Amino acid sequence: MTGGRRSVEEHAQHVAALLEPLGSIPPAQVPLARALDRTLAEPVHAPISLPPFRNSQMDGYAVDAASVAAVPATLAVQAVIAAGDAASTLTAGTALKIMTGAPIPDGADAVVPVEDTETDEAAGTVTVHHTTTSGMYVREAGSDVHAGALLLPAGTLLAARHISVLAAVGLTDVPVRGRPRVAVISTGSELVTPGEELGPGKIYNSNGPALAASAAANGAEVTSIAHCEDDPEEFAAMIAHAVAVADVVFTSGGVSKGDFEVVKDTLEPRGGTFVSVAMQPGGPQGTAVVDGVPILTFPGNPVSALVSFEVFARPLLREIAGLPAIASGTRPLTIGLESIPGRRQFLRARLDGDGVAPLPGHGSHLVAGLATADALLDIDPDITTLESGDLVKVLPL
Amino acid sequence: MTGGRRSVEEHAQHVAALLEPLGSIPPAQVPLARALDRTLAEPVHAPISLPPFRNSQMDGYAVDAASVAAVPATLAVQAVIAAGDAASTLTAGTALKIMTGAPIPDGADAVVPVEDTETDEAAGTVTVHHTTTSGMYVREAGSDVHAGALLLPAGTLLAARHISVLAAVGLTDVPVRGRPRVAVISTGSELVTPGEELGPGKIYNSNGPALAASAAANGAEVTSIAHCEDDPEEFAAMIAHAVAVADVVFTSGGVSKGDFEVVKDTLEPRGGTFVSVAMQPGGPQGTAVVDGVPILTFPGNPVSALVSFEVFARPLLREIAGLPAIASGTRPLTIGLESIPGRRQFLRARLDGDGVAPLPGHGSHLVAGLATADALLDIDPDITTLESGDLVKVLPL
């Protein structure tokens, strides 16, 4: 199908349906040391209780609270229990010196902090000046979490504090959401790889690095980055490779109305759909499925390619990888603007205090201009004029 | 020096002075493919103009605008210029078919979009129905950026759109802020590595993995993670290794008032400073410098260690790596709270709509509780009671 017209919403739904099978990418089991910023694929239950045993919250003396009911009370000190020692037993009427984290001895039910005591080392005694109560400065087993309880729900984006508790219960690795594998193919005989000589009529290939970085920044694992001349045979071979190593393929270029539209010309006979989406930049869009792998074909202008990614691919990639959605919102314009009727405009803008300012220059080749933007304004097709102070939809970059 | 008391501000200043030399870590030159999320160490100027040459914004016909001053105008079509072709010359009074991105031929000054024309392939002519003006649909060389102009300022946190423009000007690699190298040593004879058998009186080592993840999440490169028994010789050997491979060392445990404080006992004779900071959790803090490398010694309770990192290390690591500061702010409490006078409290909390709710449980061993928090409340030492609706300082985790 070619030449159809679609709204942004229609095309987004079409793309979402195409990428729907990626939601079932199998989870990966990763070591804790590589789990930072990954998303739990399954709930994790505590295999042990925390604390695993009753232990001291303070450096001090483990006692039976009853033995210091009348103060001052002087008790013989039997020994020292260090953190890491096995549990011991308190002889009634005596004290055991105990370190933070050491197991409370059987027969003790409270810890008197060292600050509240007086030690006579020669006599081997400690004098306690204040009464205490059963349980004071004692951390009960399971008081943080009980064995079997839910530790972290599925969908938790793992930060250091989550790594901490996963290690604390003794886990070495966790099931996380799989990363979708992405292949990127930028097409165009005018493209030269950065570092090579720029001949007349040539430009450097920026879409390949930019789409790869965009995919990586949104939870994907980039498995292939290739550049293709406007040569149908070369492109067909690259597609065959890409679908073998990726779960989704992004291409740039070759989808418009020129004489050498290698992407459209190759994929349309294989069932691809090429349409005009009522948006700017990014109007010419296409999709295909080759060997079961979805392919999104973006236009070749660098700004169009990146805006296409932001609008159609980013929300889906993040959902598949289990990353939180980018929150769009509304802000007041600090400068008025005009918009073309009939097309949803995605205008480059900069956040400015609580407001947002559109940036000058709309050309879809203005990559340097795009780099100064930190948001896109999302202007509905029926809006033609907005004034300073009007609220606009803002999509953070 | 031991036993001194400090405010949080005083200790933070002391730590900042200690880490100040890390600000001069040399920049790293990294390939664009690994530049995502790094921070530019130097401004980047454009080595070429963008676009590098005058080119067509549309698929259409390159003409001299004067030759279509009277319409309809039928012009002979000489040839097709594809993107990537070298510049050609337009014969006066004719047209050249031109593709988007192809160089505007000498003698042409406008492009008529293919949609506004009618082609007679047999006759080899194109009929133009509307007049055009000089410069229409022509992208001038340097209209995006001129060679030599500032492309991206130092300090730019590189996202896909920056990678795009860096590739577009042909750069293969960029100078980025160096990552501080961090070594982590967790101490305590009670600690067992996750995956090993948990004997009586033992707990799993969570501080090592958590501090390493915290450092990595804030721009550091973790070069060593070690666990040490409460054995001064072993600890001294580990410190010697750590300062050889890292720019800054974090330790946990061994800094309090117990009988086996391996960190304090080892580093104090070597000029270390061990103090009580008026905060909770995280009161016992220490610092040392060994072979010119700063060492921050955090307390061993997992919550204390992580809060210490957040308060003292995170802002400095981010600044060294050139990452944006974590914005703290104020929010209204959704539940009232009581705080201990004389200590700055860092209470675990959850963001709740526009407000924030303190979480129950203050014990510094409550790692499972910490994992449910997404912020710390920062309560000044002179505050003892806050009511629902009162504004509190919030430090996002």
Side-chain angles (χ1 to χ4, degrees):
Chain A
M1 176 193 139
T2 296
R5 279 189 72 84
R6 281 186 184 156
S7 69
V8 170
E9 295 77 5
E10 285 164 346
H11 191 62
Q13 279 169 21
H14 171 78
V15 170
L18 217 59
L19 265 58
E20 211 254 317
L22 275 73
S24 57
I25 289 179
Q29 194 75 12
V30 297
L32 280 198
R34 276 187 254 141
L36 184 70
D37 291 337
R38 300 295 295 264
T39 300
L40 276 185
E42 298 161 17
V44 173
H45 293 84
I48 60 169
S49 292
L50 289 179
F53 55 90
R54 206 175 175 219
N55 71 84
S56 177
Q57 191 180 334
M58 300 293 275
D59 297 324
Y61 291 87
V63 298
D64 175 359
S67 67
V68 294
V71 285
T74 298
L75 309 177
V77 178
Q78 289 180 284
V80 181
I81 319 170
D85 286 353
S88 51
T89 302
L90 181 75
T91 305
T94 72
L96 277 162
K97 195 168 189 187
I98 191 165
M99 299 298 124
T100 304
I104 302 289
D106 293 341
D109 66 353
V111 172
V112 181
V114 69
E115 298 89 323
D116 298 345
T117 66
E118 206 172 303
T119 308
D120 183 335
E121 295 212 351
T125 60
V126 62
T127 301
V128 174
H129 292 284
H130 304 282
T131 60
T132 185
T133 54
S134 181
M136 189 60 90
Y137 296 120
V138 171
R139 301 166 175 165
E140 296 296 338
S143 55
D144 189 10
V145 68
H146 283 283
L150 178 67
L151 199 61
L152 296 173
T156 302
L157 181 62
L158 296 171
R161 61 193 184 279
H162 307 115
I163 307 285
S164 178
V165 73
L166 291 166
V169 296
L171 293 173
T172 57
D173 44 60
V174 282
V176 295
R177 295 278 282 270
R179 290 192 197 278
R181 295 170 305 156
V182 164
V184 173
I185 305 173
S186 42
T187 74
S189 293
E190 74 279 23
L191 301 183
V192 168
T193 299
E196 293 178 7
E197 198 194 339
L198 194 68
K202 308 289 185 186
I203 59 172
Y204 286 113
N205 175 13
S206 62
N207 282 331
L211 287 174
S214 296
N218 290 285
E221 180 192 357
V222 179
T223 52
S224 174
I225 308 175
H227 163 234
C228 187
E229 304 280 315
D230 292 324
D231 173 341
E233 272 188 38
E234 189 188 355
F235 182 68
M238 285 192 175
I239 284 286
H241 173 70
V243 299
V245 300
D247 299 308
V248 59
V249 180
F250 302 129
T251 71
S252 65
V255 294
S256 191
K257 293 176 184 155
D259 288 0
F260 313 99
E261 302 292 358
V262 66
V263 173
K264 187 162 75 173
D265 296 349
T266 306
L267 293 177
E268 197 165 50
R270 298 177 70 171
T273 302
F274 291 82
V275 296
S276 174
V277 175
M279 69 188 282
Q280 195 174 48
Q285 296 285 342
T287 58
V289 177
V290 170
D291 294 351
V293 174
I295 301 171
L296 305 192
T297 71
F298 300 141
N301 275 316
V303 177
S304 308
L306 274 182
V307 168
S308 300
F309 178 91
E310 295 290 320
V311 172
F312 298 117
R314 182 166 74 155
L316 297 171
L317 281 189
R318 293 186 72 85
E319 194 181 324
I320 292 161
L323 298 177
I326 302 286
S328 57
T330 60
R331 282 173 176 247
L333 280 173
T334 58
I335 312 170
L337 61 84
E338 313 260 296
S339 188
I340 298 169
R343 293 187 192 170
R344 190 156 151 192
Q345 296 266 326
F346 293 94
L347 301 177
R348 284 144 265 183
R350 271 196 82 80
L351 305 180
D352 180 7
D354 292 334
V356 65
L359 291 171
H362 293 183
S364 38
H365 63 298
L366 300 174
V367 279
L370 176 64
T372 66
D374 53 16
L376 295 175
L377 304 183
D378 176 356
I379 312 288
D380 278 345
D382 56 345
I383 290 174
T384 53
T385 307
L386 287 168
E387 288 174 13
S388 175
D390 285 351
L391 287 179
V392 283
K393 278 187 282 181
V394 175
L395 193 64
L397 284 173
Chain B
M1 177 189 140
T2 297
R5 280 188 72 84
R6 281 188 186 156
S7 68
V8 171
E9 294 78 5
E10 285 165 344
H11 191 62
Q13 278 169 20
H14 171 78
V15 171
L18 218 58
L19 266 58
E20 211 255 317
L22 276 71
S24 58
I25 289 178
Q29 193 74 12
V30 297
L32 280 197
R34 275 188 253 141
L36 184 70
D37 291 337
R38 299 297 294 266
T39 300
L40 277 185
E42 298 162 16
V44 174
H45 293 83
I48 60 169
S49 292
L50 290 178
F53 53 90
R54 207 173 174 220
N55 71 85
S56 177
Q57 192 179 337
M58 301 290 278
D59 297 325
Y61 290 87
V63 298
D64 174 1
S67 67
V68 294
V71 286
T74 298
L75 308 178
V77 178
Q78 290 180 281
V80 181
I81 319 170
D85 285 354
S88 50
T89 302
L90 182 75
T91 304
T94 71
L96 278 162
K97 194 167 189 188
I98 192 165
M99 300 297 124
T100 305
I104 302 288
D106 292 342
D109 66 353
V111 173
V112 181
V114 70
E115 297 90 323
D116 298 346
T117 66
E118 207 172 304
T119 307
D120 184 336
E121 296 212 352
T125 59
V126 62
T127 300
V128 176
H129 292 283
H130 303 284
T131 61
T132 185
T133 54
S134 181
M136 189 63 88
Y137 297 119
V138 171
R139 300 167 176 164
E140 296 296 339
S143 54
D144 190 9
V145 69
H146 283 283
L150 178 68
L151 200 62
L152 296 173
T156 302
L157 181 63
L158 296 171
R161 62 192 184 279
H162 306 114
I163 307 287
S164 178
V165 73
L166 291 167
V169 295
L171 293 173
T172 56
D173 44 61
V174 283
V176 296
R177 296 279 282 269
R179 290 190 195 280
R181 295 170 306 154
V182 164
V184 173
I185 305 173
S186 42
T187 73
S189 293
E190 73 277 23
L191 301 182
V192 169
T193 299
E196 293 178 6
E197 197 193 340
L198 194 68
K202 307 289 186 186
I203 59 171
Y204 286 114
N205 175 12
S206 62
N207 282 331
L211 287 174
S214 295
N218 290 284
E221 180 193 356
V222 179
T223 51
S224 174
I225 308 174
H227 162 233
C228 186
E229 305 279 315
D230 291 324
D231 172 340
E233 273 188 39
E234 188 188 356
F235 182 68
M238 285 191 174
I239 283 287
H241 172 71
V243 299
V245 301
D247 300 308
V248 59
V249 180
F250 301 131
T251 71
S252 65
V255 293
S256 191
K257 295 179 183 153
D259 287 1
F260 312 101
E261 303 292 359
V262 67
V263 173
K264 189 162 72 173
D265 296 349
T266 306
L267 293 177
E268 198 165 51
R270 299 177 69 173
T273 302
F274 290 83
V275 295
S276 174
V277 176
M279 67 189 283
Q280 194 173 47
Q285 297 285 342
T287 58
V289 176
V290 171
D291 294 350
V293 174
I295 302 171
L296 306 191
T297 72
F298 300 141
N301 274 316
V303 176
S304 307
L306 274 182
V307 168
S308 301
F309 178 90
E310 295 290 319
V311 172
F312 298 116
R314 182 165 73 153
L316 297 171
L317 282 189
R318 295 185 72 85
E319 195 181 324
I320 293 162
L323 298 177
I326 302 288
S328 57
T330 60
R331 282 172 176 249
L333 282 172
T334 59
I335 313 170
L337 61 83
E338 313 259 297
S339 188
I340 299 169
R343 292 186 194 170
R344 191 158 151 192
Q345 296 266 325
F346 293 93
L347 301 176
R348 284 142 265 186
R350 272 196 82 81
L351 305 180
D352 180 6
D354 292 333
V356 64
L359 291 170
H362 293 186
S364 37
H365 62 299
L366 300 174
V367 278
L370 176 64
T372 67
D374 53 17
L376 295 175
L377 304 183
D378 176 356
I379 313 287
D380 276 344
D382 56 344
I383 292 174
T384 53
T385 307
L386 287 168
E387 288 175 13
S388 176
D390 285 351
L391 286 178
V392 283
K393 278 186 282 183
V394 175
L395 193 65
L397 284 172

